[in-house]
Amino acid sequence: MDHIIEIKEVLKKYEDFTAVDHLNLNIKKGSFFGLLGPNGAGKTTLIKMLVGLLRPNSGDIFIKNQKMTRDNVFLKTKMGIVPQHINLDKELSVKENLIFSAKLYKLKRDPQEKRVEELLAFSELKPIENKLSKNLSGGMQRKLMIVKALINDPEIIFLDEPTVGIDVNTRRKIWDMLKGMKDMGKTIILTTHYIEEAEYLCDQIALMDKGKIFHLDTSKHLKSNLGTFTVEYFNDAKVTEYKYFQSIEDAKQYTHALCGNYILRDTNLEDVFYNFTNRKVR
Ligand SMILES: Nc1ncnc2c1ncn2[C@@H]1O[C@H](COP(=O)(O)OP(=O)(O)OP(=O)(O)O)[C@@H](O)[C@H]1O
């Protein structure tokens, strides 16, 4: 199995608090990997260790079979990072942001211009290339952050909540960009609170909480493990309840006692996430 990322027994503490707890995980080259979990699960901490911004207390991270450390410059040049918070130079235009980033990676003049033009076309930001980034809409800023992370043609791209606060239309355009990146053969690691985003994009999904990964599978298997069909109903205590079934016959049978006050539907990834986060004592 060709694993581009191997995480072995990684522990990260902030003083006495354990944010990532002896975590083991392998990520296949070329996969679109989703890291889902409630607030404070440890997702950002894990990503910061993977990109060399934070040092684990113990355990090892291997990327492309090399040990990741904070000063492994070679590995850092193979990575693109889209952080949670806007990381654009506000006083520079769209194009200047990309040129500035290319200069940081010391791209020579010709390849630099070619790359910037490619990325402006790929992101459809070409028509607004001269607009200052501080004057862009939130969606356009996010698009620019994503292509900025591609400037050095990285093999692995880390995206920490890349579509937070973005309207539905722009989010779908960003999804197309991300799918395009996968088609280029990149390995993509995504954290998101938009469950449908992970369901739509990711071929592997890890459910993380309290610094550990509890489930790791395809969206399809995560759903079928819970039950392919969901009965959703409002109970006598005025609380919505969810029951999961492997067969439609069993689900229908269950609904007979519910006096018509129910919805019978396919299980979705949000059900898996809800069940995962609700079942555990928080
Ligand atoms: N620098 C820090 N010092 C102390 N505690 C921290 C620090 N950074 C994060 N934490 C704590 O570690 C835990 C994990 O945080 P982290 O940001 O990794 O979670 P997350 O899963 O990314 O959350 P979110 O979905 O809200 O972004 C949280 O309880 C957080 O408060």
Side-chain angles (χ1 to χ4, degrees), residues 248-271:
I248 187 97
E249 287 75 24
D250 288 349
K252 281 183 179 163
Q253 178 71 33
Y254 185 81
T255 61
H256 289 157
L258 297 177
C259 313
N261 191 15
Y262 65 84
I263 297 166
L264 169 54
R265 57 172 173 77
D266 289 345
T267 299
N268 56 44
L269 193 61
E270 200 159 304
D271 294 309

Side-chain angles (χ1 to χ4, degrees), residues 14-15 17-20 37-46 48 54 84 160-161 191 193 208:
Y14 297 112
E15 298 180 357
F17 178 77
T18 301
V20 172
N39 294 124
K43 306 177 296 292
T44 302
T45 302
L46 179 60
K48 282 185 175 168
L54 273 181
Q84 251 179 45
D160 200 356
E161 300 186 34
T191 79
H193 286 291
M208 184 172 183

Side-chain angles (χ1 to χ4, degrees), residues 20-54:
V20 172
D21 192 1
H22 296 97
L23 191 136
N24 291 290
L25 175 66
N26 293 326
I27 298 178
K28 273 190 262 174
K29 186 173 170 19
S31 64
F32 203 132
F33 189 92
L35 197 52
L36 302 187
N39 294 124
K43 306 177 296 292
T44 302
T45 302
L46 179 60
I47 290 202
K48 282 185 175 168
M49 289 190 284
L50 292 176
V51 302
L53 286 172
L54 273 181

Side-chain angles (χ1 to χ4, degrees), residues 88 125 128 136-145 166 170:
L88 300 171
L125 290 172
I128 52 166
L136 297 177
S137 67
M140 295 304 113
Q141 287 185 339
R142 290 279 162 186
K143 273 185 160 189
L144 180 55
M145 283 170 64
I166 300 302
T170 313

